[in-house]
Amino acid sequence: GSLPLQGHVVRNWKVRWFVLLQDKLLYYKIEGGKKEPSPKGRILLDGCTITCPCLEYENRPLLIKLKTKTNTDYFLECCSREERDSWALDITGAIHAGHPVQVQELHRMKNSFKLLENISLHNIVERMYDSSTGIKLTRNLDQGNRYKETFTGSALVDWLISNSFAVSRFEAVTLASMLMDENFIRPVGVRSTEATRSSDPSEKFLDDSTALYMFAESSKKNTSSKEEVHFNISELSGTIVKQGFLVKQGHKRKNWKVRKFVLRADPAFLHYYDPTKEDNKPVGGFSLRGCLVSALEDNGVPAGVKGNVQGNLFKIITKNDIHYYIQASSKAERVQWIEAIKPLT
């Protein structure tokens, strides 16, 4: 699949097509909407160590870090926690493929639940406050309100794991729930506040990128009207239904670029982002109301499509008759996107 990779010489981000083999991770350049036949590079997995979650980049929270036995660092960025954890699990399995005892130990650690002995919640909170290594506080939007100095549920879970306070996400959620029960942190916004009413203790804290929390002693929420926010809140406040990397044809130059697509409902919008950019702002998007979405056959290039495309095409026509041509990485992925978009049109 497609993932942004940080360059070694020029520390910029380029989208590459990755193929995981038993002993190596190959990556290919993507040109004209298809991967080149020869790999651009390879990451040898023998003696490699993996860090996931990796929180070395504040504005890229979904990274996987691979360090080879020659001490070369590779940073791969994923679209969602689910995609990141899936890649990390498969890469970890390949790294330890020749060591079945280590694989069994990894599964035991993942499936076990054992909090650290004599754990101090006060110590965790002190570490969270640390200006250099603590959890990063950001402004977040929820239901038209803007909250200062908040963090998401998934960000806290990632932080607890990366700082060795927990081994698994289940352990981290339990720790986070304890922090909330002891009034070290509190929920803000609709999703996290409603979750606290759940009768199931394991569901009171949400390992979710849309659930907001803040330190309990932080100042009250700061809200701002829609006019004061520099982008359209209504477009970006919907529930994320699906996200992933797809290849999109440009409107002017008709070239193909990998974009991160985010599908939202209530309101229904499809936004796309440039994964090589440092900011997290969409470079385009449109309302799905009144749109038509359909698969395009692979035998022959349809009118309006330029270049030697790889296939698995689908088309979205907006109610303003703007045509978007998009490629998925497989027929199955194309079907998943079409089925996710159709109910929102």
Side-chain angles (χ1 to χ4, degrees):
S2 299
L3 296 173
L5 170 72
Q6 187 184 60
H8 291 296
V9 181
V10 181
R11 308 298 285 182
N12 57 351
W13 295 84
K14 297 288 186 182
V15 177
R16 297 290 182 245
W17 181 268
F18 283 85
V19 176
L20 177 62
L21 304 179
Q22 186 171 356
D23 60 342
K24 64 179 74 74
L25 186 61
L26 303 178
Y27 53 93
Y28 298 77
K29 195 174 180 180
I30 302 174
E31 284 291 342
K34 63 185 299 185
K35 74 177 181 71
E36 293 187 341
S38 299
K40 178 80 172 176
R42 67 194 68 212
I43 304 171
L44 299 179
L45 297 178
D46 180 38
C48 196
T49 58
I50 181 170
T51 302
C52 179
C54 172
L55 304 181
E56 293 190 21
Y57 289 84
E58 180 180 348
N59 60 339
R60 293 181 181 267
L62 298 175
L63 290 180
I64 297 171
K65 178 181 178 181
L66 297 175
K67 180 184 282 293
T68 68
K69 64 180 180 182
T70 59
N71 289 323
T72 303
D73 291 340
Y74 292 88
F75 292 92
L76 289 64
E77 185 178 30
C78 297
C79 241
S80 64
R81 287 179 294 111
E82 293 77 14
E83 182 186 47
R84 180 196 64 189
D85 294 345
S86 176
W87 270 103
L89 185 62
D90 290 341
I91 293 172
T92 301
I95 291 173
H96 299 293
H99 308 280
V101 174
Q102 288 184 342
V103 175
Q104 290 177 3
E105 178 65 14
L106 286 168
H107 283 288
R108 185 194 68 77
M109 289 176 62
K110 181 185 176 186
N111 297 322
S112 67
F113 174 65
K114 182 181 179 183
L115 288 173
L116 297 174
E117 295 182 4
N118 302 319
I119 194 163
S120 168
L121 296 181
H122 288 277
N123 180 43
I124 293 176
V125 174
E126 285 182 7
R127 291 276 298 276
M128 288 174 66
Y129 270 111
D130 190 282
S131 59
S132 58
T133 60
I135 192 163
K136 303 303 179 186
L137 302 178
T138 60
R139 293 185 177 188
N140 282 288
L141 297 168
D142 182 89
Q143 299 290 309
N145 293 323
R146 182 168 61 184
Y147 296 90
K148 291 182 178 179
E149 297 186 330
T150 61
F151 46 86
T152 66
S154 58
L156 178 54
V157 170
D158 285 349
W159 185 89
L160 289 169
I161 295 173
S162 67
N163 284 273
S164 302
F165 288 115
V167 173
S168 66
R169 302 196 77 82
F170 180 66
E171 286 186 25
V173 167
T174 303
L175 262 181
S177 299
M178 294 167 63
L179 291 171
M180 193 164 59
D181 289 341
E182 295 299 322
N183 201 35
F184 288 109
I185 64 173
R186 64 182 180 87
V188 292
V190 176
R191 287 215 64 200
S192 54
T193 303
E194 288 183 348
T196 59
R197 303 188 184 102
S198 173
S199 58
D200 187 345
S202 65
E203 296 178 359
K204 290 182 180 296
F205 179 88
L206 298 178
D207 179 8
D208 193 286
S209 60
T210 63
L212 302 181
Y213 299 88
M214 67 193 313
F215 290 114
E217 60 186 50
S218 297
S219 58
K220 294 181 180 180
K221 71 179 183 181
N222 292 278
T223 63
S224 64
S225 66
K226 290 180 174 58
E227 290 74 24
E228 292 177 304
V229 181
H230 296 297
F231 54 89
N232 193 330
I233 290 178
S234 63
E235 286 189 27
L236 301 174
S237 63
T239 303
I240 295 178
V241 176
K242 186 175 178 61
Q243 54 186 324
F245 294 108
L246 298 168
V247 184
K248 173 187 167 295
Q249 180 179 261
H251 289 296
K252 295 180 180 179
R253 296 180 60 189
K254 303 298 182 184
N255 56 346
W256 293 88
K257 296 288 186 181
V258 176
R259 293 291 181 252
K260 174 187 174 181
F261 280 80
V262 178
L263 176 63
R264 293 181 173 90
D266 300 323
F269 274 83
L270 184 62
H271 292 95
Y272 49 94
Y273 301 71
D274 185 345
T276 67
K277 302 298 183 185
E278 290 297 333
D279 60 19
N280 193 32
K281 297 178 181 178
V283 295
F286 51 92
S287 171
L288 290 172
R289 295 302 181 195
C291 285
L292 297 174
V293 57
S294 61
L296 298 175
E297 296 303 324
D298 295 334
N299 51 348
V301 179
V305 175
K306 306 295 183 182
N308 184 19
V309 299
Q310 187 159 311
N312 306 312
L313 282 165
F314 63 98
K315 176 172 68 174
I316 302 175
I317 305 175
T318 70
K319 63 181 181 181
N320 297 325
D321 201 34
I322 299 174
H323 293 225
Y324 289 86
Y325 295 97
I326 303 169
Q327 293 184 66
S329 61
S330 66
K331 281 183 166 53
E333 185 181 48
R334 177 174 68 177
V335 169
Q336 291 171 5
W337 273 98
I338 292 175
E339 289 182 348
I341 292 171
K342 275 187 174 179
L344 302 178
T345 60

